[in-house]
Amino acid sequence: MTGFVEKPEPAQVPDLVHLHTGKVRDLYQNQAGDLVMVASDRISAFDWVLPTEIPDKGRILTRLSLWWFEQLEDLLPNHVKGTDVPAGAPADWEGRTMVCRSLRMVPVECVARGYLAGSGLAEYEEAQTVCGLALPPGLENGSELPGSLFTPATKAQVGEHDENVSYEEVARLVGSETAVELRQATLAAYDRARDIARERGIILADTKFEFGWDDSGDEPVLTLADEVLTPDSSRFWPADTWQPGRAQPSFDKQYVRDWLVSPASGWDRASEQPPPALPEEVVEATRARYVEAYERLTGVPWS
């Protein structure tokens, strides 16, 4: 059993229709047909959306996504139209709202990897491959890969795992031409972001992108969507402490995961019981990692 420990009730806003409550974002549609995305302070781990929020997390994710969209806009169009809070919406939506073009979403998580970690490491240790792609022997946890890899996954519902799939499976799902376009766009965006992060002393180990088709013109245009290059969708490591052969310190919710599996939490991950609330020190430490990632990447103090 996984999912929400306490599923929130969506806000009722004039002229908006609630579409979906995700792990972090609430999605609405306005009367113009645009998607209104609101990033909450919710945090998930081990396929559970936890009962404790991380203050400012949604605003950090939103502001960082907007910054990254700007860094990539000469490579890829994105879905953002504006950040105005709809009339009648809660005051708390300020700073965490993006009004976006409604896209025909591609049913694939477009993952790019430059380093060995996570599910990629697990597959490599078992078969010396990642998503079926053969890799050289001798790589370790945190090793830099010989080149950037496109390692797609299928999208999962809240409380379920994304599942890594082969490039051939993506081509079967969406067609060979679209698969080629997805791979090219994913690797171009990853390589650009990796270089930007590296200049700021951060390793972008891997990340996932979502794409959709913008059908508003004469021809469909593949368009970058959702959030982009945040600590929720990416693995960021401090470059000055990178050391292959061990788990790397990271700018994400690893602090939360580590506490949940520690004796201090008293939680058995294998049980069907939901995880407990986070203690204040874990909340503060996690928020500090998100803030540090934002400040180091953008060069702008968080306020």
Side-chain angles (χ1 to χ4, degrees):
M1 178 179 176
T2 51
F4 288 90
V5 175
E6 300 170 6
K7 189 168 184 178
E9 288 294 322
Q12 301 300 313
V13 181
D15 300 326
L16 293 187
V17 176
H18 175 256
L19 300 177
H20 178 66
T21 296
K23 291 180 181 179
V24 175
R25 284 166 183 77
D26 296 305
L27 305 182
Y28 297 80
Q29 188 174 49
N30 64 20
Q31 291 187 318
D34 298 323
L35 194 66
V36 179
M37 300 176 58
V38 185
S40 74
D41 292 337
R42 296 190 292 269
I43 192 166
S44 63
F46 303 120
D47 299 316
W48 283 99
V49 180
L50 304 181
T52 311
E53 295 188 339
I54 307 299
D56 289 325
K57 176 174 176 280
R59 291 188 174 90
I60 294 168
L61 298 181
T62 300
R63 199 182 298 180
L64 188 56
S65 286
L66 292 168
W67 184 83
W68 276 116
F69 280 130
E70 290 181 359
Q71 311 310 307
L72 301 174
E73 63 185 357
D74 63 316
L75 287 179
L76 297 166
N78 65 71
H79 68 162
V80 179
K81 295 182 70 174
T83 57
D84 291 342
V85 176
D92 186 57
W93 283 22
E94 185 68 42
R96 58 178 81 240
T97 299
M98 293 193 302
V99 181
C100 306
R101 274 181 288 281
S102 184
L103 305 176
R104 181 165 46 89
M105 296 303 294
V106 177
V108 175
E109 295 277 4
C110 292
V111 180
R113 300 177 189 271
Y115 294 76
L116 195 59
S119 62
L121 173 64
E123 182 182 334
Y124 176 81
E125 290 178 338
E126 182 176 323
Q128 211 166 295
T129 62
V130 174
C131 285
L133 300 172
L135 291 175
L139 300 180
E140 301 177 287
N141 188 358
S143 288
E144 185 171 8
L145 300 174
S148 306
L149 297 182
F150 176 59
T151 58
T154 54
K155 294 183 180 181
Q157 300 298 314
V158 173
E160 298 179 7
H161 283 294
D162 292 346
E163 182 179 347
N164 292 346
V165 295
S166 67
Y167 178 80
E168 290 72 23
E169 177 64 12
V170 172
R172 189 190 67 79
L173 282 171
V174 301
S176 57
E177 290 186 10
T178 296
V180 168
E181 199 166 350
L182 289 173
R183 180 168 59 185
Q184 291 175 339
T186 297
L187 294 179
Y190 171 78
D191 288 348
R192 168 72 64 81
R194 177 203 58 205
D195 293 346
I196 291 173
R198 186 176 289 160
E199 292 170 356
R200 290 154 171 78
I202 290 180
I203 289 173
L204 173 58
D206 54 50
T207 193
K208 68 177 180 178
F209 300 106
E210 293 199 35
F211 293 93
W213 294 105
D214 183 353
D215 294 322
S216 62
D218 294 335
E219 296 288 337
V221 176
L222 192 66
T223 302
L224 193 55
D226 198 54
E227 66 173 334
V228 62
L229 293 157
T230 72
D232 272 15
S233 64
S234 313
R235 217 181 298 265
F236 292 116
W237 299 332
D240 57 358
T241 60
W242 173 59
Q243 182 182 326
R246 62 172 175 81
Q248 311 300 317
S250 58
F251 293 101
D252 61 11
K253 52 193 175 187
Q254 191 60 46
Y255 200 90
V256 170
R257 296 188 193 100
D258 291 345
W259 182 81
L260 285 172
V261 298
S262 74
S265 76
W267 180 57
D268 180 4
R269 183 183 172 189
S271 74
E272 293 192 355
Q273 295 301 310
L278 302 176
E280 186 60 34
E281 61 268 21
V282 173
V283 171
E284 291 176 358
T286 303
R287 179 185 180 277
R289 299 302 274 170
Y290 278 81
V291 169
E292 185 179 357
Y294 173 83
E295 292 183 338
R296 288 182 64 165
L297 286 166
T298 67
V300 178
W302 175 255
S303 59

